[in-house]
Amino acid sequence: MRRLPARPFAGLAAAGLLAALAGCGAEAGGSSAEPAAGVGGDRAIRAQKVMRLTQAHELTGMTLLEGPTFDGNGGLLVVDVTAPSGEPKVLRVDVRKKTSRPVHTDDRGTYTSAQFSPYDGRLYLTDFSHGDIVSLAPDGGDPRTFFSGEVDGARMNPDDLAFDQEGNLYISDSRGMSRGEATGRVVRIDREGENATVLADGLASPNGISFDAGYRGLWFSELTRNRISYLRLDDKGGRASLHTAVQVDGGIAQTDSIAVDADGNLYQALHGRPAMAVYSDSGERLATVELPARAAEGLESATNVAITPGGTTAYMTVSGPAGGYVYRFDALAEGIRQSNGG
């Protein structure tokens, strides 16, 4: 996600997050001693425009698309983080017809990611402003608050989420982002929404989170340290170990959401540049997904991607002053659950 302008937006302003949501700019934090990822095998993948989905909202002054995910019928859903009350906060996109229709709106949520649960089949949304996890029926109805309240004495700012195979949730909690403090966390919530456990803390604006292809551990990014870490899990879903896996050489760009394909490759979205960096699970920089130069004008971030389950067509959400767009490119391997939302 990226920094929002100081415009009237009741839900965000009330939470004191207006200057923080969707990224924090260039706060210091990461260790300069950590090596940058190699770019020896880096190649360019050109993304092609599918459609402009949204324009800047009059009330909030911007639009920000996030959380692309496919439903069970192959339909693509996305969230608009900055949509005000009464305007669509979840949209269904027909990429063939290049049309969209609203799925859900409300007068409260600031939704930054979306993913369907393998346990109950419902669509789960992270409400960054209020610290809640909300679920919807697949058609967008029957809204329920799945989780709310504090975790270890502090309310979350949940950004992205990932499900394990049993339906337990793993959340990147960007707590501390508004103050530039390294107090973010990775939080596990059981599939009943009753028990929340902190697996990692002291993190600098954790953002993207995804399981590896074998569900052995989690990749997660820290936006203000421009790095990807790997959190290995034990057989009970707890923390076994944690280490820095990739130091992203992003220049002006910062690490946003993460997706993983069937070969285990990581698709690291970039805030500050409408592009994605692709790495192998051994940390090799494989490719950079880019927009044609002329198309990139007025677009500032590529926030996330969903790869067609069982196929290689990838749909990337891109936003900026020019609007919110869906772009398409050919992924390096097939899409799986780990490249479908979050």
Side-chain angles (χ1 to χ4, degrees):
M1 296 189 310
R2 56 180 293 275
R3 181 190 294 270
L4 298 184
R7 294 287 298 274
F9 195 14
L12 299 183
L17 300 170
L18 203 58
L21 182 62
C24 280
E27 287 91 341
S31 168
S32 60
E34 293 171 317
V39 297
D42 192 7
R43 65 184 178 91
I45 298 174
R46 293 286 182 237
Q48 301 299 318
K49 184 176 74 174
V50 175
M51 64 181 295
R52 183 169 69 174
L53 185 58
T54 57
Q55 300 184 53
H57 303 285
E58 182 177 353
L59 181 61
T60 61
M62 67 177 296
T63 182
L64 180 62
L65 299 184
E66 255 283 11
T69 187
F70 291 99
D71 63 18
N73 297 318
L76 182 66
L77 288 86
V78 303
V79 298
D80 185 351
V81 181
T82 65
S85 174
E87 296 191 37
K89 297 188 176 187
V90 183
L91 302 100
R92 188 180 303 276
V93 183
D94 188 321
V95 294
R96 184 177 61 85
K97 296 181 179 179
K98 300 183 180 180
T99 60
S100 68
R101 62 179 179 85
V103 172
H104 174 74
T105 190
D106 56 40
D107 60 1
R108 175 178 169 87
T110 307
Y111 302 120
T112 53
S113 64
Q115 192 169 144
F116 285 93
S117 167
Y119 175 59
D120 61 15
R122 292 174 63 86
L123 180 66
Y124 283 70
L125 310 172
T126 51
D127 182 351
F128 189 96
S129 293
H130 301 97
D132 299 341
I133 310 298
V134 174
S135 76
L136 306 173
D139 64 1
D142 188 29
R144 305 175 189 172
T145 300
F146 169 77
F147 182 86
S148 183
E150 296 183 345
V151 178
D152 281 4
R155 185 177 292 273
M156 293 191 298
N157 290 133
D159 197 324
D160 285 6
L161 79 161
F163 285 98
D164 67 17
Q165 292 169 297
E166 287 73 44
N168 303 300
L169 291 76
Y170 293 77
I171 310 292
S172 59
D173 173 15
S174 289
R175 177 173 173 265
M177 178 184 284
S178 62
R179 300 178 299 278
E181 298 173 353
T183 55
R185 305 176 292 187
V186 172
V187 175
R188 180 186 188 272
I189 305 174
D190 71 9
R191 67 186 188 185
E192 306 298 337
E194 296 176 354
N195 298 301
T197 305
V198 176
L199 300 183
D201 57 12
L203 306 177
S205 304
N207 196 306
I209 189 167
S210 179
F211 277 92
D212 62 19
Y215 285 95
R216 295 177 298 270
L218 290 159
W219 302 104
F220 68 87
S221 65
E222 291 175 81
L223 184 137
T224 57
R225 285 183 178 154
N226 254 19
R227 70 182 182 187
I228 304 169
S229 294
Y230 184 70
L231 195 164
R232 184 174 292 277
L233 300 174
D234 60 27
D235 58 5
K236 295 182 179 179
R239 172 175 167 173
S241 64
L242 175 65
H243 68 271
T244 298
V246 178
Q247 189 68 39
V248 177
D249 186 7
I252 63 171
Q254 296 172 290
T255 50
D256 206 298
S257 297
I258 293 176
V260 173
D261 67 21
D263 285 354
N265 302 313
L266 286 72
Y267 296 74
Q268 175 61 68
L270 297 175
H271 156 56
R273 179 185 175 193
M276 302 193 83
V278 186
Y279 296 91
S280 71
D281 60 4
S282 61
E284 178 187 3
R285 179 76 168 258
L286 301 176
T288 303
V289 181
E290 299 178 306
L291 275 59
R294 186 171 299 177
E297 294 179 7
L299 297 174
E300 297 174 344
S301 296
T303 56
N304 211 333
V305 66
I307 306 173
T308 308
T312 58
T313 303
Y315 294 94
M316 178 171 65
T317 46
V318 183
S319 300
Y325 288 75
V326 175
Y327 271 75
R328 178 179 58 234
F329 66 90
D330 292 328
L332 274 61
E334 291 183 351
I336 52 178
R337 165 164 283 278
Q338 291 91 318
S339 44
N340 188 18

